[in-house]
């Protein structure tokens, strides 16, 4: 196998797994808008959920960590064809652009509120902030081994902050929420204008750094077979680490698992790990599976992988379009049920998302049908955009989308 072919396959396997994550992500966002209990109950609440609803939400836990980790891997691959200053400058500028996009285009997609009364700090904010930090670390030429240690310290150690949080008199302030705990916390920064902290970025930065360090396995230094073996071993170790540490129930997640009324519900409690902020156990089970998927798709080439590659190569473009499309579909359903614009305005006083009525919606079959519809609509647009990017590599601005 030639080096060129090997490199192509490596990059393609990354795009395939990233594409799978993007496709699965859309399930949860359709559920957010369309499912009947999306704004009245937690789909992971074992007292009220069903297996189908639980796994509809739980499977999407894989999306953000896989995307962040593989973003780091892609950055490492870019470092092989860019100078340190070029890569650092690009990451800082793209990170700032993503933060701006989160607070503008993404915020409007989520809310459809032209007055921007709610500004989200979600996954795009976390990725953008992490890129800025990684860009600065690259700029000052932090050695590879030092970056690896830093990433491990952040990911392995950030759950130590859970212990002071358990104190009866503990109260998280703004900086604590911004840097560690922030999970759907509202801050009023102007009259009737709120920032909602969803993703505390430092732990995501640690995960991106580890993804960057893992990028070395996707270089010609490792053969395809060596890489597959390493990825399998790392994936299995991470999943075994998850099982052992989760069973001990002392560290790695702020909420321990508990024995439930049935063995199956106990299993659900065991795998129900914390995403906000992402716990060590959460990252272990998600990245462990990601490693196995990367190994599996290393040498797979079929119609499914070709479709996933398209979504993986156009991830941010797809992300923006899918939010607008899903919210547009929900808006159509809102008016189809006889609601008026006045109803939307009244609801908007208590809901961050316009055209959504708490307690009104559909069951899981409709959620999955709309999810498939969204994918069918978006695929040709993403394919055209991917072809345009490939044919116009000289256009610098395409690298920011």
């Amino acid at each position: 196998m030639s080096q060129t072919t090997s490199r192509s396959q490596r990059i393609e396997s990354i795009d395939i797994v990233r594409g799978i994550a993007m496709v699965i992500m859309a399930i949860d966002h359709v559920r957010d808008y369309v499912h009947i209990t999306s704004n009245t109950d937690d789909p992971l609440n074992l007292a009220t959920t069903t297996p189908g609803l639980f796994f509809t939400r739980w499977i999407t836990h894989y999306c953000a960590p896989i995307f962040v980790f593989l973003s780091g891997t892609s950055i490492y691959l870019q470092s092989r064809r860019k100078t340190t200053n070029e890569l650092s400058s690009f990451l800082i500028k793209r990170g700032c652009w993503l933060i701006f996009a989160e607070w503008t285009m993404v915020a409007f997609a989520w809310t459809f509120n032209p007055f921007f009364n709610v500004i989200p700090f979600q996954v795009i904010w976390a990725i953008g902030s992490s890129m800025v930090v990684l860009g600065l670390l690259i700029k000052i030429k932090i050695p590879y081994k030092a970056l690896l240690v830093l990433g491990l310290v952040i990911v392995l150690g950030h759950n130590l902050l859970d212990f002071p949080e358990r104190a009866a008199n503990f109260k998280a302030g703004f900086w604590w929420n911004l840097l560690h705990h922030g999970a759907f916390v509202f801050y009023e920064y102007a009259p009737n204008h709120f920032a909602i902290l969803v993703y505390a970025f430092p732990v995501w930065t640690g995960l991106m750094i580890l993804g960057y360090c893992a990028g070395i396995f996707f270089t010609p230094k490792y053969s395809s077979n060596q890489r597959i073996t390493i990825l399998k071993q790392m994936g299995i170790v991470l999943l075994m680490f998850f099982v052992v540490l989760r069973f001990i129930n002392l560290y790695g997640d702020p909420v321990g698992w508990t024995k439930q009324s049935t063995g199956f519900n106990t299993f659900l409690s065991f795998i129900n790990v914390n995403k906000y902020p992402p716990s060590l156990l959460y990252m272990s089970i998600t990245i462990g599976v990601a490693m196995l998927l990367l190994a599996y798709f290393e040498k797979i080439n079929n119609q499914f992988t070709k479709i996933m590659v398209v979504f993986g190569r156009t991830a941010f473009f797809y992300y923006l379009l899918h939010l607008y499309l899903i919210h547009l579909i929900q808006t159509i359903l809102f008016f189809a049920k006889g609601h008026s614009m006045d109803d939307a305005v009244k609801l908007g006083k208590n809901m961050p998302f316009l055209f959504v009525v708490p307690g009104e919606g559909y069951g899981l079959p409709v959620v999955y049908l709309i999810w498939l519809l969204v994918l069918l609509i978006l695929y040709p647009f993403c394919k055209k955009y991917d072809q345009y990017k490939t044919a116009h590599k000289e256009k610098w601005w395409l690298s920011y989308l």
Side-chain angles (χ1 to χ4, degrees):
M1 181 183 294
S2 71
Q3 195 177 90
T4 302
T5 303
S6 178
R7 185 179 297 116
S8 174
Q9 286 185 339
R10 260 171 258 148
I11 296 174
E12 197 158 275
S13 67
I14 293 171
D15 286 329
I16 291 167
V17 176
R18 183 189 287 120
I20 292 172
M22 301 304 291
V23 165
I24 292 174
M25 173 191 65
I27 301 174
D28 195 46
H29 294 160
V30 173
R31 183 195 60 80
D32 280 333
Y33 285 101
V34 175
H35 192 257
I36 190 169
T37 66
S38 62
N39 292 285
T40 59
D41 199 4
D42 181 358
L44 300 177
N45 180 358
L46 296 181
T48 57
T49 193
T50 64
L53 181 58
F54 180 95
F55 283 107
T56 295
R57 169 58 175 160
W58 183 86
I59 192 65
T60 63
H61 276 359
Y62 284 86
C63 304
I66 287 177
F67 189 76
V68 172
F69 184 85
L70 293 182
S71 292
T73 303
S74 297
I75 291 168
Y76 184 88
L77 296 177
Q78 290 182 59
S79 73
R80 295 177 54 79
R81 60 180 185 269
K82 292 182 178 180
T83 67
T84 298
N85 288 336
E86 286 173 342
L87 180 62
S88 173
S89 176
F90 170 72
L91 290 177
I92 292 171
K93 288 187 290 187
R94 187 161 195 255
C96 291
W97 154 248
L98 289 176
I99 294 171
F100 173 77
E102 175 81 281
W103 295 342
T104 54
M105 293 181 288
V106 176
F108 185 73
W110 277 111
T111 66
F112 274 11
N113 184 337
F115 302 105
F116 290 89
N117 295 94
V118 176
I119 303 297
F121 286 58
Q122 296 195 96
V123 66
I124 302 301
W125 136 264
I127 293 170
S129 300
S130 298
M131 282 186 174
V132 171
V133 173
L134 184 53
L136 292 172
L137 293 174
I138 290 172
K139 186 177 182 64
I140 61 176
K141 299 181 179 179
I142 298 293
Y144 173 90
K145 290 183 179 179
L147 278 175
L148 177 60
V149 170
L150 176 61
L152 288 172
V153 168
I154 295 172
V155 169
L156 292 173
H158 82 282
N159 280 117
L160 290 171
L161 298 176
D162 296 338
F163 293 104
E165 286 185 357
R166 293 171 185 170
N169 60 346
F170 178 83
K171 186 176 181 181
F174 171 78
W175 290 107
W176 187 278
N177 280 324
L178 182 69
L179 299 177
H180 173 64
H181 183 72
F184 298 93
V185 182
F186 283 77
Y187 284 94
E188 189 171 17
Y189 64 90
N192 199 33
H193 284 75
F194 299 86
I196 175 172
L197 302 184
V198 183
Y199 280 68
F201 76 88
V203 64
W204 294 101
T205 303
L207 185 60
M208 182 178 286
I209 291 172
L210 292 183
Y212 175 88
C213 293
I216 195 171
F217 300 122
F218 293 85
T219 65
K221 183 177 180 180
Y222 294 85
S223 69
S224 178
N225 289 335
Q226 286 177 320
R227 181 169 50 259
I228 289 173
T229 299
I230 291 170
L231 290 172
K232 284 181 178 178
Q233 290 173 343
M234 292 173 66
I236 291 170
V237 167
L238 280 172
L239 293 178
M240 291 177 63
F241 177 76
F242 166 81
V243 171
V244 172
L245 192 60
R246 185 61 166 164
F247 183 78
I248 295 172
N249 222 14
L250 293 176
Y251 181 76
D253 198 272
V255 181
W257 64 277
T258 57
K259 186 176 181 180
Q260 303 291 311
S261 57
T262 66
F264 182 71
N265 276 12
T266 299
F267 168 72
L268 297 185
S269 176
F270 189 85
I271 64 173
N272 185 19
V273 283
N274 206 65
K275 180 180 180 180
Y276 307 103
S279 69
L280 170 60
L281 288 169
Y282 169 89
M283 289 184 284
S284 297
I285 192 172
T286 53
I287 301 304
V289 171
M291 295 288 188
L292 297 179
L293 289 174
L294 286 167
Y296 175 76
F297 284 110
E298 172 81 19
K299 296 182 178 181
I300 301 295
N301 182 16
N302 54 34
Q303 190 59 41
F304 172 78
T305 60
K306 290 176 182 177
I307 293 172
M308 292 304 107
V309 161
V310 170
F311 288 127
R313 286 177 178 166
T314 59
F316 185 60
F317 177 80
Y318 164 91
Y319 182 84
L320 281 176
L321 287 187
H322 99 286
L323 286 178
Y324 278 95
L325 179 57
I326 292 169
H327 203 162
L328 177 61
I329 290 172
Q330 170 56 28
T331 302
I332 293 170
L333 294 173
F334 176 86
F335 287 112
K337 288 184 176 181
H339 294 295
S340 65
M341 195 64 199
D342 287 340
D343 295 332
V345 172
K346 291 176 184 177
L347 287 165
K349 294 179 180 179
N350 298 309
M351 282 287 293
F353 312 133
L354 293 184
F355 310 111
V356 177
V357 182
E360 183 178 285
Y362 304 88
L364 285 180
V366 174
V367 170
Y368 279 91
L369 282 173
I370 293 177
W371 170 62
L372 291 173
L373 176 64
V374 167
L375 297 181
L376 288 172
I377 293 174
L378 290 184
Y379 178 73
F381 289 97
C382 291
K383 187 173 182 179
K384 285 288 185 182
Y385 179 62
D386 183 37
Q387 292 170 341
Y388 182 82
K389 284 179 64 177
T390 302
H392 297 84
K393 292 182 178 180
E394 77 284 356
K395 296 184 182 295
W396 62 269
W397 55 270
L398 289 172
S399 61
Y400 288 83
L401 293 177

